[in-house]
Amino acid sequence: MMILTDKKPRVNVEGILTSEELHEIDHYMHHYPYPRAACLDALKIVQRRNGWVDDAQMNAIAQVLGMSLADLEGVATFYNRIYRRPVGRHVILVCDSIACFLMGAESLTEAFQRELGIQLGQTTADGRFTLLPICCLGNCDKGPTLMIDEDTHGLVEISSIKTLLEKYV
C-alpha cells in the first residue's frame, strides 16, 4: 500500500547544485502550479555557473523538480540556448535564417570560421569562443545578424569581425 504525502522526497544534490542554485530554483517553483513547470528556469540557473549543464546537474534538477530525466532532457534539447556540452566563455550565434542568408550570413559565417580557426559547433583552443548557427534571432531587417552572449549585432560586415571579437575578452 502506497501512502501519498505532501512531502517531497529528500534529494542528495550536495556538491552537484549549489545552495544558491537550489534556493533560486525553489523560488521559481513557487511561481507555477506544478514544480516541473520551472524546468527551463532551473536549467538557465544552473547553466549560468559553468556555461552548460552536465549529466549530474540534469539528474539533480530532475529530482528537485520531481520529473523524469527524459522529460527534462527533452526540454534542454528543445531550447537551442541550453548547452549540454562545454562551450567557450563567449558563444557566437550566427543567424542562418533565409533573411540573413540572403544578406550574406553564409559569407559571414565563413569569415568567422577563418578568423577563429574553428568550424560551426566548435570552440577555440583557448576556450574563448564557441561558434554556433541559430535559426532566427528576430532581427531580420538588420541581417546578417549574430548574437554574442546576450548582445545582438545586426548589419554585421566581414570587415568588422576583428573589432567585434576584441570586445569579448
Side-chain angles (χ1 to χ4, degrees):
M1 174 186 218
M2 182 183 229
I3 299 174
L4 299 175
T5 67
D6 290 347
K7 293 183 179 180
K8 286 191 257 179
R10 284 206 163 263
V11 177
N12 183 5
V13 295
E14 189 173 318
I16 299 172
L17 301 179
T18 67
S19 59
E20 292 82 13
E21 289 167 339
L22 287 168
H23 177 75
E24 199 171 345
I25 291 168
D26 185 61
H27 171 77
Y28 278 99
M29 286 170 56
H30 289 91
H31 282 86
Y32 301 103
Y34 302 101
R36 63 183 292 134
C39 64
L40 185 56
D41 297 307
L43 289 165
K44 289 177 183 178
I45 290 164
V46 173
Q47 180 171 284
R48 203 177 316 137
R49 179 172 23 135
N50 296 320
W52 67 293
V53 184
D54 68 28
D55 292 342
Q57 292 167 327
M58 287 287 289
N59 191 41
I61 292 168
Q63 289 181 45
V64 168
L65 298 177
M67 63 189 296
S68 75
L69 182 57
D71 285 347
L72 184 61
E73 188 71 45
V75 172
T77 56
F78 178 79
Y79 289 97
N80 55 13
R81 299 222 26 232
I82 298 294
Y83 306 115
R84 291 287 288 122
R85 60 187 179 135
V87 293
R89 288 189 314 275
H90 306 287
V91 177
I92 303 168
L93 300 167
V94 182
C95 182
D96 63 3
S97 71
I98 188 66
C100 284
F101 178 81
L102 292 172
M103 296 304 293
E106 188 174 35
S107 298
L108 184 66
T109 299
E110 291 168 358
F112 266 100
Q113 290 172 331
R114 281 190 305 275
E115 180 66 30
L116 297 171
I118 59 174
Q119 297 297 307
L120 285 173
Q122 295 181 335
T123 300
T124 56
D126 63 1
R128 186 173 166 202
F129 293 108
T130 297
L131 183 63
L132 298 170
I134 192 165
C135 62
C136 187
L137 290 170
N139 202 28
C140 301
D141 63 325
K142 294 176 186 73
T145 295
L146 61 91
M147 181 178 262
I148 302 178
D149 300 334
E150 300 298 320
D151 305 326
T152 303
H153 303 276
L155 299 171
V156 180
E157 296 181 15
I158 291 171
S159 61
S160 68
I161 290 176
K162 283 185 182 190
T163 304
L164 186 59
L165 292 176
E166 288 171 0
K167 295 177 182 178
Y168 298 90
V169 184

